[in-house]
Amino acid sequence: MPPSNEPSQELTVVGGDEPRLIAGRQPTVTGLAVVLPSVTDDSSPAAADDSERGIAVQVRQLSHRLEATADVPVNRTASRWLGEAEAIAADAATSDLEDATVRERVATVRELLSEIDDTGHEDADAHLESAKRICRAILESPADEQ
């Protein structure tokens, strides 16, 4: 079937999914990217961030710091501890958990990070120290201030 000049309301998703309607919005295909017109919504992302709990922000920062250590070469021992700490922090940052549970996971991350004295890489050491400070800040802050 030859291409039509009629605007399409469908987007073909690569990867085996069936084509899906895009809620009445016209997608524009540019090269390999699909650009959707902006969606008007009553709630803005900034409004959601303003009301977000402080502990959630800190745990995301912790997770990002540990993710950053994966981008640099570190020694084998440090890699093992960092990998486990990163997985726990990522879970705490992305799961809908009670603050007490998040604090337990952060305590576990802190224990894992305490096993590392040196990563063998200056940038990873900086991320490690920052992650340790974030753990300390989360665990030393009163629960009712989170």
Side-chain angles (χ1 to χ4, degrees):
M1 177 175 200
S4 168
N5 289 334
E6 292 294 317
S8 170
Q9 293 296 318
E10 292 185 358
L11 170 67
T12 303
V13 179
V14 179
D17 290 342
E18 294 297 317
R20 294 181 264 171
L21 287 178
I22 308 294
R25 295 172 297 181
Q26 175 60 42
T28 305
V29 178
T30 58
L32 296 176
V34 175
V35 180
L36 294 175
S38 60
V39 178
T40 305
D41 188 301
D42 293 336
S43 64
S44 69
D49 289 345
D50 292 343
S51 64
E52 191 167 18
R53 301 171 303 144
I55 194 169
V57 172
Q58 290 176 302
V59 173
R60 270 201 318 277
Q61 291 170 343
L62 173 62
S63 179
H64 291 309
R65 282 297 182 167
L66 294 172
E67 283 177 22
T69 64
D71 294 336
V72 293
V74 297
N75 66 48
R76 177 171 275 170
T77 302
S79 178
R80 183 181 69 143
W81 296 114
L82 286 168
E84 191 169 345
E86 179 186 349
I88 294 168
D91 181 60
T94 59
S95 299
D96 186 22
L97 303 170
E98 297 289 328
D99 284 359
T101 303
V102 171
R103 287 174 178 276
E104 289 173 15
R105 297 207 178 152
V106 170
T108 301
V109 169
R110 180 178 63 180
E111 289 173 27
L112 293 167
L113 297 180
S114 72
E115 297 293 330
I116 307 167
D117 292 323
D118 180 56
T119 65
H121 194 280
E122 187 176 310
D123 290 344
D125 286 341
H127 290 303
L128 172 64
E129 288 308 312
S130 180
K132 286 179 178 180
R133 280 192 303 275
I134 294 168
C135 286
R136 195 168 34 256
I138 291 169
L139 297 172
E140 291 176 357
S141 64
D144 58 348
E145 287 186 15
Q146 294 295 320

